Amino acid sequence: QEQLVESGGGLVQLGGSRRLSCATSGSIFRLAPMGWYRQAPGKEREFVAAITQVGTTTYDDSVRGRFTISRDNAKNTVYLQMSNLTPEDTAAYYCNVVAATSVQDRYWGQGTQVTVSS
């Protein structure tokens, strides 16, 4: 099974910024819209943002106006630019195709940890 590889996480201060990257294969990239998800300790994984193959984006209310999702088709890479971070943004961030759970389960990577200190 193929996996996606997230990178770019780290420790950041309250109000800081961070850019996450998601490296994919071309085949995965073409399957469906791509999305970012996050999971904090003791909580369920939640949707963050998504982008279609033609660039249409959608965001969870908690990040709208602060986060920007983008994609580079030449590099098969999806990005998440995170700004004005708060401790509530602390989580492991994952990328995946926007699809049914049974499909997503084929591709979950290890995620990248973002920790925001106050």
Side-chain angles (χ1 to χ4, degrees):
Q1 296 190 120
E2 300 178 81
Q3 289 184 309
L4 299 101
V5 181
E6 302 91 346
S7 63
L11 178 64
V12 61
Q13 294 290 332
L14 172 68
S17 300
R18 201 83 179 184
R19 190 179 80 154
L20 309 183
S21 298
C22 171
T24 76
S25 69
S27 59
I28 292 175
F29 210 60
R30 293 190 295 271
L31 286 174
M34 297 297 298
W36 282 97
Y37 304 80
R38 65 186 180 185
Q39 185 169 26
K43 296 185 178 181
E44 296 182 343
R45 182 184 292 115
E46 64 180 12
F47 170 80
V48 175
I51 185 167
T52 71
Q53 293 172 305
V54 296
T56 302
T57 60
T58 186
Y59 298 92
D60 181 77
D61 288 343
S62 66
V63 306
R64 187 175 294 109
R66 300 188 299 118
F67 291 10
T68 300
I69 186 171
S70 61
R71 62 193 293 156
D72 185 332
N73 292 340
K75 296 181 178 180
N76 296 327
T77 301
V78 185
Y79 303 96
L80 185 68
Q81 179 64 51
M82 313 164 69
S83 300
N84 195 23
L85 289 163
T86 76
E88 287 67 42
D89 295 314
T90 295
Y93 284 73
Y94 303 84
C95 64
N96 211 326
V97 294
V98 178
T101 300
S102 60
V103 177
Q104 292 189 316
D105 285 347
R106 296 168 57 89
Y107 304 116
W108 290 119
Q110 296 302 304
T112 186
Q113 179 69 35
V114 174
T115 301
V116 184
S117 61
S118 60

